[in-house]
Amino acid sequence: NAVSALGYVGGEMALDLLEKTLADQDPNVRSGAIFALRQVGGEKALALLQKALAHQDPDVRSGAVSALGDVGGEKVLALLEKALAHQNPEMRSSAVSALGDVGGEMALALLEKTLSDQDLNVRCGAVSALGQMGGDKALALIEKAVADHDPEVRCGAVSALGQVGCAKALALLEKALADQDRKGRYSAALALGQVGGEKALALIEKALADLDP
């Protein structure tokens, strides 16, 4: 829509208009404003996104948190850390997704904490973000999540291993093929398909032979 298009126009005038649309009565207009601010970036856009974090509309708040991932920087990390402590799990889920976009050591440290969040969706979002980031530290955290008590988190973790795709990830996926949960085994097979290669194919063939009748 026209509001979203302001994000591609940019400039002070566009930012002034977007600031006004954040108070619009139409939720679609407000969502468009958040999308546009994500595209514009910069200090003024960041200031407006920070202001939107206190908006009365929870969708605007969650959208603003997600948009912070595209802005990046130390100030954004501080805002995301605060969002991780929010009582609304949707806010925390948006924050973990944004951390995956931001990346870096501090983002990894924050994601590590969220692996013990009480909300299932937050934990699943955290392993997905770790898979997006990749690297040895992220892989070590995903390995911990593969042993989570909840099968949904384990499925998310094996899917993240498919994104990482290194030799150690293959070894962990081979173990995941023996998961007691059928969905976990299926997720491991899908992740192996994502990794590709001869060894992954051999493991998938073995998994197919071991499927329950």
Side-chain angles (χ1 to χ4, degrees), residues 1-8 14-24 26-42 44-71 80 91 94 98 101:
N1 57 34
V3 177
S4 299
L6 288 171
Y8 300 103
L15 285 166
D16 289 341
L17 289 171
L18 288 171
E19 183 173 11
K20 294 177 181 178
T21 57
L22 285 173
D24 196 277
D26 188 332
N28 292 323
V29 172
R30 297 195 297 269
S31 295
I34 293 296
F35 174 84
L37 289 169
R38 181 194 294 260
Q39 304 303 313
V40 174
K44 178 69 180 293
L46 176 57
L48 292 177
L49 288 171
Q50 183 175 0
K51 182 179 178 181
L53 294 176
H55 200 282
Q56 61 182 2
D57 183 347
D59 290 336
V60 171
R61 296 197 300 267
S62 294
V65 172
S66 296
L68 289 173
D70 288 333
V71 178
L80 291 175
M91 284 281 283
S94 295
D101 293 329

Side-chain angles (χ1 to χ4, degrees), residues 100 108 127-139 142 160 163-165:
L108 278 169
V127 292
S128 178
L130 289 167
Q132 177 183 343
M133 292 175 67
D136 292 341
K137 177 66 182 295
L139 180 58
I142 295 169
Q163 292 179 272
V164 176

